[in-house]
Amino acid sequence: MASEPVLCANYLVEAGDMEEVNEIDVEETLQEIQNNDSSLTHCIFNNVPLDQEMIDNITSAMVDNTSVTKLDMCNCAITDESIDGFITLLKTNTTLESLSLETNKITGKQLKLMVQALEFSETLKELRIANQYFTTGVGDEMAISKALANNTSVVKFSLNWKNGGARNSADRLIMRNCDLARKKRQGIS
């Protein structure tokens, strides 16, 4: 199944192609995010190794951005040091609907803190944090599944679960959120 091309930083890229080199102009895209460019709704930084300063600049710019609804930063060498920016972003941004941070180097402890920040997000519908370099522990997975209980907007969630109980609990919570979203769409309270 071919994916639809997406306009990103004024040119088309194929979404979901993790093998291809991303030729995005990171500085230009950051400037568009900072300027709240209404034509930029989907940012794809996948497969671009970003340094700590650039990741911090992107997350800081995204806090006040009202145009970008989807942010993909898979395989960007994101580490624990960058998570505070994502936590602030999740707590404050009111337009972001999808965040993908798969295939980075984020530990279970930091993933847990990020999921706990979802309690403050009413717009995020999709969070993808699977395939991290470090595996999550059972305690972190249990805390992640409990933290999902405080969010009613996320309807898609990915994580490489090791603990079946935590996965089942998270699956039930995501199904609850899907049911709430369906009822909202149908005008049922």
Side-chain angles (χ1 to χ4, degrees):
M1 181 177 183
S3 57
E4 289 292 318
V6 177
L7 180 64
C8 186
N10 299 323
Y11 65 94
L12 292 176
V13 294
E14 293 294 327
D17 190 355
M18 292 300 289
E19 297 299 319
E20 196 168 312
V21 175
N22 188 347
E23 297 179 5
I24 187 172
D25 183 336
V26 175
E27 292 289 337
E28 178 186 343
T29 304
L30 174 61
Q31 191 66 41
E32 291 177 7
I33 294 170
Q34 290 170 333
N35 293 339
N36 208 15
D37 184 343
S38 62
S39 68
L40 183 66
T41 59
H42 185 181
C43 292
I44 304 173
F45 292 100
N46 293 345
N47 301 322
V48 178
L50 300 171
D51 61 31
Q52 176 71 37
E53 182 181 0
M54 182 54 71
I55 294 167
D56 291 344
N57 289 340
I58 291 168
T59 55
S60 294
M62 282 296 300
V63 166
D64 296 319
N65 186 285
T66 58
S67 298
V68 176
T69 59
K70 190 168 184 177
L71 179 61
D72 293 340
M73 297 181 78
C74 301
N75 197 24
C76 290
I78 297 170
T79 62
D80 286 356
E81 289 75 31
S82 305
I83 295 306
D84 285 343
F86 287 103
I87 290 171
T88 303
L89 166 63
L90 290 171
K91 286 181 176 180
T92 57
N93 185 287
T94 57
T95 54
L96 189 66
E97 295 178 2
S98 175
L99 176 61
S100 185
L101 300 175
E102 295 178 320
T103 316
N104 282 294
K105 296 181 179 182
I106 308 168
T107 63
K109 179 181 177 186
Q110 298 302 316
L111 293 174
K112 173 183 70 173
L113 294 174
M114 219 165 70
V115 174
Q116 287 171 342
L118 291 176
E119 176 181 353
F120 305 98
S121 175
E122 296 178 4
T123 56
L124 195 75
K125 296 176 183 168
E126 179 177 5
L127 179 61
R128 298 187 180 278
I129 53 176
N131 200 31
Q132 299 299 320
Y133 180 78
F134 303 104
T135 59
T136 53
V138 172
D140 291 330
E141 288 186 8
M142 292 302 290
I144 287 170
S145 68
K146 286 180 183 176
L148 284 171
N150 298 324
N151 176 279
T152 57
S153 66
V154 174
V155 294
K156 291 183 182 178
F157 182 81
S158 71
L159 176 69
N160 293 73
W161 298 96
K162 307 286 183 282
N163 181 298
R167 182 187 64 236
N168 288 338
S169 175
D171 287 346
R172 282 192 304 276
L173 292 165
I174 295 301
M175 285 190 289
R176 173 203 67 184
N177 292 356
C178 289
D179 193 43
L180 290 171
R182 179 187 56 79
K183 287 178 179 179
K184 186 176 179 180
R185 278 191 312 271
Q186 294 176 342
I188 303 170
S189 40

mmCIF file of all heavy atoms in Angstrom, residues 114-151:
data_model
loop_
_atom_site.group_PDB
_atom_site.id
_atom_site.type_symbol
_atom_site.label_atom_id
_atom_site.label_comp_id
_atom_site.label_asym_id
_atom_site.label_seq_id
_atom_site.Cartn_x
_atom_site.Cartn_y
_atom_site.Cartn_z
ATOM 1 N N MET A 114 6.803 11.314 29.704
ATOM 2 C CA MET A 114 6.128 11.882 28.542
ATOM 3 C C MET A 114 4.655 11.474 28.505
ATOM 4 O O MET A 114 3.778 12.302 28.255
ATOM 5 C CB MET A 114 6.834 11.426 27.271
ATOM 6 C CG MET A 114 6.933 12.499 26.235
ATOM 7 S SD MET A 114 8.087 12.108 24.956
ATOM 8 C CE MET A 114 7.270 10.828 24.124
ATOM 9 N N VAL A 115 4.378 10.208 28.767
ATOM 10 C CA VAL A 115 2.997 9.727 28.752
ATOM 11 C C VAL A 115 2.210 10.363 29.898
ATOM 12 O O VAL A 115 1.034 10.689 29.744
ATOM 13 C CB VAL A 115 2.941 8.185 28.782
ATOM 14 C CG1 VAL A 115 1.513 7.695 28.912
ATOM 15 C CG2 VAL A 115 3.577 7.613 27.519
ATOM 16 N N GLN A 116 2.851 10.591 31.029
ATOM 17 C CA GLN A 116 2.177 11.260 32.141
ATOM 18 C C GLN A 116 1.762 12.676 31.759
ATOM 19 O O GLN A 116 0.749 13.182 32.232
ATOM 20 C CB GLN A 116 3.072 11.272 33.377
ATOM 21 C CG GLN A 116 3.194 9.908 34.027
ATOM 22 C CD GLN A 116 4.243 9.839 35.124
ATOM 23 O OE1 GLN A 116 5.126 10.688 35.222
ATOM 24 N NE2 GLN A 116 4.152 8.809 35.954
ATOM 25 N N ALA A 117 2.519 13.320 30.868
ATOM 26 C CA ALA A 117 2.182 14.671 30.413
ATOM 27 C C ALA A 117 0.919 14.682 29.557
ATOM 28 O O ALA A 117 0.299 15.740 29.373
ATOM 29 C CB ALA A 117 3.350 15.279 29.634
ATOM 30 N N LEU A 118 0.503 13.526 29.052
ATOM 31 C CA LEU A 118 -0.721 13.458 28.233
ATOM 32 C C LEU A 118 -1.964 13.840 29.019
ATOM 33 O O LEU A 118 -2.992 14.173 28.436
ATOM 34 C CB LEU A 118 -0.904 12.052 27.654
ATOM 35 C CG LEU A 118 0.092 11.608 26.601
ATOM 36 C CD1 LEU A 118 -0.178 10.169 26.211
ATOM 37 C CD2 LEU A 118 0.053 12.526 25.396
ATOM 38 N N GLU A 119 -1.861 13.803 30.330
ATOM 39 C CA GLU A 119 -2.991 14.202 31.179
ATOM 40 C C GLU A 119 -3.444 15.620 30.850
ATOM 41 O O GLU A 119 -4.611 15.963 30.984
ATOM 42 C CB GLU A 119 -2.575 14.110 32.648
ATOM 43 C CG GLU A 119 -3.621 14.575 33.618
ATOM 44 C CD GLU A 119 -3.163 14.480 35.079
ATOM 45 O OE1 GLU A 119 -2.090 13.925 35.345
ATOM 46 O OE2 GLU A 119 -3.912 14.985 35.922
ATOM 47 N N PHE A 120 -2.517 16.443 30.382
ATOM 48 C CA PHE A 120 -2.801 17.857 30.103
ATOM 49 C C PHE A 120 -3.137 18.106 28.642
ATOM 50 O O PHE A 120 -3.429 19.234 28.264
ATOM 51 C CB PHE A 120 -1.603 18.718 30.516
ATOM 52 C CG PHE A 120 -1.216 18.512 31.955
ATOM 53 C CD1 PHE A 120 -0.175 17.665 32.293
ATOM 54 C CD2 PHE A 120 -1.917 19.144 32.970
ATOM 55 C CE1 PHE A 120 0.170 17.463 33.618
ATOM 56 C CE2 PHE A 120 -1.581 18.943 34.289
ATOM 57 C CZ PHE A 120 -0.530 18.095 34.617
ATOM 58 N N SER A 121 -3.082 17.079 27.808
ATOM 59 C CA SER A 121 -3.329 17.239 26.376
ATOM 60 C C SER A 121 -4.726 16.766 26.019
ATOM 61 O O SER A 121 -5.106 15.635 26.315
ATOM 62 C CB SER A 121 -2.300 16.445 25.566
ATOM 63 O OG SER A 121 -2.611 16.524 24.194
ATOM 64 N N GLU A 122 -5.473 17.627 25.364
ATOM 65 C CA GLU A 122 -6.815 17.271 24.919
ATOM 66 C C GLU A 122 -6.894 17.112 23.408
ATOM 67 O O GLU A 122 -7.923 16.714 22.885
ATOM 68 C CB GLU A 122 -7.822 18.327 25.385
ATOM 69 C CG GLU A 122 -7.936 18.409 26.893
ATOM 70 C CD GLU A 122 -8.902 19.494 27.340
ATOM 71 O OE1 GLU A 122 -9.550 20.130 26.479
ATOM 72 O OE2 GLU A 122 -9.010 19.695 28.559
ATOM 73 N N THR A 123 -5.789 17.422 22.705
ATOM 74 C CA THR A 123 -5.831 17.370 21.249
ATOM 75 C C THR A 123 -5.026 16.219 20.654
ATOM 76 O O THR A 123 -5.324 15.786 19.548
ATOM 77 C CB THR A 123 -5.303 18.682 20.641
ATOM 78 O OG1 THR A 123 -3.984 18.925 21.129
ATOM 79 C CG2 THR A 123 -6.213 19.843 20.983
ATOM 80 N N LEU A 124 -4.018 15.723 21.361
ATOM 81 C CA LEU A 124 -3.181 14.664 20.804
ATOM 82 C C LEU A 124 -3.996 13.383 20.666
ATOM 83 O O LEU A 124 -4.591 12.906 21.631
ATOM 84 C CB LEU A 124 -1.951 14.403 21.675
ATOM 85 C CG LEU A 124 -0.869 13.584 20.971
ATOM 86 C CD1 LEU A 124 -0.127 14.459 19.954
ATOM 87 C CD2 LEU A 124 0.103 12.994 21.951
ATOM 88 N N LYS A 125 -4.023 12.836 19.446
ATOM 89 C CA LYS A 125 -4.784 11.620 19.172
ATOM 90 C C LYS A 125 -3.881 10.414 18.943
ATOM 91 O O LYS A 125 -4.335 9.286 19.032
ATOM 92 C CB LYS A 125 -5.667 11.830 17.933
ATOM 93 C CG LYS A 125 -6.720 12.893 18.117
ATOM 94 C CD LYS A 125 -7.499 13.121 16.852
ATOM 95 C CE LYS A 125 -8.492 14.250 17.058
ATOM 96 N NZ LYS A 125 -9.082 14.707 15.829
ATOM 97 N N GLU A 126 -2.613 10.685 18.624
ATOM 98 C CA GLU A 126 -1.716 9.598 18.271
ATOM 99 C C GLU A 126 -0.332 9.856 18.857
ATOM 100 O O GLU A 126 0.241 10.924 18.674
ATOM 101 C CB GLU A 126 -1.626 9.513 16.745
ATOM 102 C CG GLU A 126 -0.722 8.456 16.212
ATOM 103 C CD GLU A 126 -0.745 8.394 14.689
ATOM 104 O OE1 GLU A 126 -1.399 9.238 14.034
ATOM 105 O OE2 GLU A 126 -0.097 7.492 14.155
ATOM 106 N N LEU A 127 0.198 8.859 19.581
ATOM 107 C CA LEU A 127 1.557 8.935 20.130
ATOM 108 C C LEU A 127 2.263 7.630 19.804
ATOM 109 O O LEU A 127 1.834 6.557 20.206
ATOM 110 C CB LEU A 127 1.540 9.162 21.643
ATOM 111 C CG LEU A 127 2.920 9.225 22.318
ATOM 112 C CD1 LEU A 127 3.749 10.391 21.761
ATOM 113 C CD2 LEU A 127 2.775 9.346 23.821
ATOM 114 N N ARG A 128 3.350 7.751 19.057
ATOM 115 C CA ARG A 128 4.125 6.580 18.649
ATOM 116 C C ARG A 128 5.524 6.684 19.268
ATOM 117 O O ARG A 128 6.290 7.574 18.905
ATOM 118 C CB ARG A 128 4.208 6.498 17.134
ATOM 119 C CG ARG A 128 2.846 6.334 16.491
ATOM 120 C CD ARG A 128 2.947 6.085 15.000
ATOM 121 N NE ARG A 128 1.652 5.926 14.395
ATOM 122 C CZ ARG A 128 0.945 4.805 14.394
ATOM 123 N NH1 ARG A 128 1.405 3.726 14.975
ATOM 124 N NH2 ARG A 128 -0.230 4.747 13.800
ATOM 125 N N ILE A 129 5.814 5.762 20.187
ATOM 126 C CA ILE A 129 7.103 5.779 20.883
ATOM 127 C C ILE A 129 7.763 4.392 20.882
ATOM 128 O O ILE A 129 8.613 4.104 21.708
ATOM 129 C CB ILE A 129 6.957 6.311 22.327
ATOM 130 C CG1 ILE A 129 5.888 5.551 23.100
ATOM 131 C CG2 ILE A 129 6.682 7.808 22.314
ATOM 132 C CD1 ILE A 129 5.750 5.949 24.559
ATOM 133 N N ALA A 130 7.393 3.534 19.957
ATOM 134 C CA ALA A 130 7.919 2.172 19.889
ATOM 135 C C ALA A 130 9.344 2.154 19.344
ATOM 136 O O ALA A 130 9.851 3.151 18.828
ATOM 137 C CB ALA A 130 7.018 1.308 19.015
ATOM 138 N N ASN A 131 9.958 0.987 19.459
ATOM 139 C CA ASN A 131 11.249 0.696 18.843
ATOM 140 C C ASN A 131 12.379 1.599 19.343
ATOM 141 O O ASN A 131 13.216 2.038 18.577
ATOM 142 C CB ASN A 131 11.137 0.768 17.313
ATOM 143 C CG ASN A 131 12.270 0.033 16.626
ATOM 144 O OD1 ASN A 131 12.785 -0.943 17.142
ATOM 145 N ND2 ASN A 131 12.664 0.529 15.473
ATOM 146 N N GLN A 132 12.405 1.856 20.644
ATOM 147 C CA GLN A 132 13.499 2.635 21.225
ATOM 148 C C GLN A 132 14.729 1.746 21.380
ATOM 149 O O GLN A 132 14.629 0.533 21.492
ATOM 150 C CB GLN A 132 13.091 3.219 22.583
ATOM 151 C CG GLN A 132 11.918 4.164 22.522
ATOM 152 C CD GLN A 132 12.155 5.385 21.655
ATOM 153 O OE1 GLN A 132 13.235 5.961 21.653
ATOM 154 N NE2 GLN A 132 11.139 5.774 20.900
ATOM 155 N N TYR A 133 15.893 2.361 21.395
ATOM 156 C CA TYR A 133 17.148 1.635 21.563
ATOM 157 C C TYR A 133 17.179 0.917 22.914
ATOM 158 O O TYR A 133 17.672 -0.192 23.028
ATOM 159 C CB TYR A 133 18.321 2.615 21.437
ATOM 160 C CG TYR A 133 19.674 1.986 21.592
ATOM 161 C CD1 TYR A 133 20.238 1.264 20.540
ATOM 162 C CD2 TYR A 133 20.386 2.093 22.779
ATOM 163 C CE1 TYR A 133 21.481 0.684 20.673
ATOM 164 C CE2 TYR A 133 21.631 1.505 22.925
ATOM 165 C CZ TYR A 133 22.174 0.807 21.869
ATOM 166 O OH TYR A 133 23.407 0.225 22.003
ATOM 167 N N PHE A 134 16.640 1.573 23.939
ATOM 168 C CA PHE A 134 16.594 0.997 25.276
ATOM 169 C C PHE A 134 15.223 0.357 25.496
ATOM 170 O O PHE A 134 14.209 0.911 25.104
ATOM 171 C CB PHE A 134 16.817 2.076 26.349
ATOM 172 C CG PHE A 134 18.120 2.810 26.180
ATOM 173 C CD1 PHE A 134 18.140 4.098 25.659
ATOM 174 C CD2 PHE A 134 19.318 2.214 26.533
ATOM 175 C CE1 PHE A 134 19.333 4.774 25.496
ATOM 176 C CE2 PHE A 134 20.518 2.892 26.374
ATOM 177 C CZ PHE A 134 20.530 4.169 25.856
ATOM 178 N N THR A 135 15.217 -0.795 26.150
ATOM 179 C CA THR A 135 13.941 -1.441 26.439
ATOM 180 C C THR A 135 13.329 -0.837 27.701
ATOM 181 O O THR A 135 14.038 -0.334 28.567
ATOM 182 C CB THR A 135 14.107 -2.964 26.633
ATOM 183 O OG1 THR A 135 15.017 -3.187 27.699
ATOM 184 C CG2 THR A 135 14.617 -3.626 25.370
ATOM 185 N N THR A 136 12.020 -0.886 27.770
ATOM 186 C CA THR A 136 11.329 -0.388 28.967
ATOM 187 C C THR A 136 11.219 -1.514 29.978
ATOM 188 O O THR A 136 11.067 -2.671 29.613
ATOM 189 C CB THR A 136 9.920 0.119 28.609
ATOM 190 O OG1 THR A 136 9.229 -0.911 27.906
ATOM 191 C CG2 THR A 136 9.968 1.364 27.761
ATOM 192 N N GLY A 137 11.286 -1.162 31.251
ATOM 193 C CA GLY A 137 11.127 -2.145 32.312
ATOM 194 C C GLY A 137 9.657 -2.342 32.647
ATOM 195 O O GLY A 137 8.794 -1.549 32.248
ATOM 196 N N VAL A 138 9.384 -3.390 33.409
ATOM 197 C CA VAL A 138 8.010 -3.708 33.796
ATOM 198 C C VAL A 138 7.384 -2.555 34.585
ATOM 199 O O VAL A 138 6.241 -2.174 34.348
ATOM 200 C CB VAL A 138 7.966 -5.020 34.614
ATOM 201 C CG1 VAL A 138 6.580 -5.264 35.176
ATOM 202 C CG2 VAL A 138 8.403 -6.191 33.752
ATOM 203 N N GLY A 139 8.149 -1.975 35.511
ATOM 204 C CA GLY A 139 7.629 -0.855 36.315
ATOM 205 C C GLY A 139 7.266 0.345 35.460
ATOM 206 O O GLY A 139 6.217 0.974 35.671
ATOM 207 N N ASP A 140 8.125 0.654 34.485
ATOM 208 C CA ASP A 140 7.834 1.781 33.587
ATOM 209 C C ASP A 140 6.603 1.491 32.735
ATOM 210 O O ASP A 140 5.769 2.363 32.513
ATOM 211 C CB ASP A 140 9.037 2.085 32.695
ATOM 212 C CG ASP A 140 10.209 2.659 33.465
ATOM 213 O OD1 ASP A 140 9.974 3.341 34.482
ATOM 214 O OD2 ASP A 140 11.359 2.427 33.049
ATOM 215 N N GLU A 141 6.483 0.270 32.251
ATOM 216 C CA GLU A 141 5.324 -0.086 31.431
ATOM 217 C C GLU A 141 4.029 -0.009 32.233
ATOM 218 O O GLU A 141 3.015 0.468 31.724
ATOM 219 C CB GLU A 141 5.504 -1.482 30.831
ATOM 220 C CG GLU A 141 6.549 -1.521 29.742
ATOM 221 C CD GLU A 141 6.640 -2.861 29.043
ATOM 222 O OE1 GLU A 141 5.786 -3.746 29.296
ATOM 223 O OE2 GLU A 141 7.554 -3.019 28.224
ATOM 224 N N MET A 142 4.071 -0.461 33.476
ATOM 225 C CA MET A 142 2.878 -0.363 34.325
ATOM 226 C C MET A 142 2.510 1.106 34.557
ATOM 227 O O MET A 142 1.339 1.480 34.497
ATOM 228 C CB MET A 142 3.098 -1.075 35.659
ATOM 229 C CG MET A 142 3.225 -2.592 35.532
ATOM 230 S SD MET A 142 1.814 -3.393 34.771
ATOM 231 C CE MET A 142 0.591 -3.207 36.042
ATOM 232 N N ALA A 143 3.514 1.943 34.808
ATOM 233 C CA ALA A 143 3.270 3.376 35.019
ATOM 234 C C ALA A 143 2.736 4.035 33.749
ATOM 235 O O ALA A 143 1.867 4.911 33.813
ATOM 236 C CB ALA A 143 4.546 4.057 35.488
ATOM 237 N N ILE A 144 3.239 3.608 32.591
ATOM 238 C CA ILE A 144 2.756 4.154 31.316
ATOM 239 C C ILE A 144 1.282 3.794 31.119
ATOM 240 O O ILE A 144 0.466 4.647 30.757
ATOM 241 C CB ILE A 144 3.626 3.652 30.141
ATOM 242 C CG1 ILE A 144 4.990 4.358 30.161
ATOM 243 C CG2 ILE A 144 2.926 3.856 28.803
ATOM 244 C CD1 ILE A 144 6.013 3.782 29.203
ATOM 245 N N SER A 145 0.931 2.541 31.383
ATOM 246 C CA SER A 145 -0.476 2.143 31.196
ATOM 247 C C SER A 145 -1.383 2.871 32.182
ATOM 248 O O SER A 145 -2.492 3.266 31.830
ATOM 249 C CB SER A 145 -0.638 0.630 31.298
ATOM 250 O OG SER A 145 -0.398 0.173 32.595
ATOM 251 N N LYS A 146 -0.916 3.089 33.413
ATOM 252 C CA LYS A 146 -1.718 3.844 34.386
ATOM 253 C C LYS A 146 -1.861 5.306 33.962
ATOM 254 O O LYS A 146 -2.919 5.914 34.139
ATOM 255 C CB LYS A 146 -1.089 3.767 35.776
ATOM 256 C CG LYS A 146 -1.281 2.432 36.437
ATOM 257 C CD LYS A 146 -0.652 2.387 37.817
ATOM 258 C CE LYS A 146 -0.813 1.007 38.422
ATOM 259 N NZ LYS A 146 -0.144 0.888 39.716
ATOM 260 N N ALA A 147 -0.790 5.874 33.410
ATOM 261 C CA ALA A 147 -0.831 7.276 32.976
ATOM 262 C C ALA A 147 -1.812 7.470 31.824
ATOM 263 O O ALA A 147 -2.440 8.521 31.706
ATOM 264 C CB ALA A 147 0.563 7.752 32.576
ATOM 265 N N LEU A 148 -1.955 6.466 30.978
ATOM 266 C CA LEU A 148 -2.908 6.567 29.861
ATOM 267 C C LEU A 148 -4.337 6.722 30.356
ATOM 268 O O LEU A 148 -5.190 7.254 29.649
ATOM 269 C CB LEU A 148 -2.793 5.344 28.944
ATOM 270 C CG LEU A 148 -1.589 5.320 28.006
ATOM 271 C CD1 LEU A 148 -1.481 3.969 27.315
ATOM 272 C CD2 LEU A 148 -1.683 6.442 26.986
ATOM 273 N N ALA A 149 -4.610 6.284 31.580
ATOM 274 C CA ALA A 149 -5.961 6.396 32.137
ATOM 275 C C ALA A 149 -6.376 7.854 32.318
ATOM 276 O O ALA A 149 -7.568 8.169 32.335
ATOM 277 C CB ALA A 149 -6.047 5.664 33.478
ATOM 278 N N ASN A 150 -5.405 8.762 32.427
ATOM 279 C CA ASN A 150 -5.694 10.178 32.654
ATOM 280 C C ASN A 150 -5.891 10.960 31.366
ATOM 281 O O ASN A 150 -6.035 12.178 31.405
ATOM 282 C CB ASN A 150 -4.573 10.813 33.474
ATOM 283 C CG ASN A 150 -4.454 10.183 34.844
ATOM 284 O OD1 ASN A 150 -5.464 9.822 35.451
ATOM 285 N ND2 ASN A 150 -3.239 10.036 35.320
ATOM 286 N N ASN A 151 -5.877 10.285 30.227
ATOM 287 C CA ASN A 151 -6.053 10.949 28.937
ATOM 288 C C ASN A 151 -7.217 10.309 28.213
ATOM 289 O O ASN A 151 -7.355 9.086 28.206
ATOM 290 C CB ASN A 151 -4.774 10.828 28.103
ATOM 291 C CG ASN A 151 -4.946 11.416 26.722
ATOM 292 O OD1 ASN A 151 -5.495 10.775 25.837
ATOM 293 N ND2 ASN A 151 -4.491 12.632 26.545
#
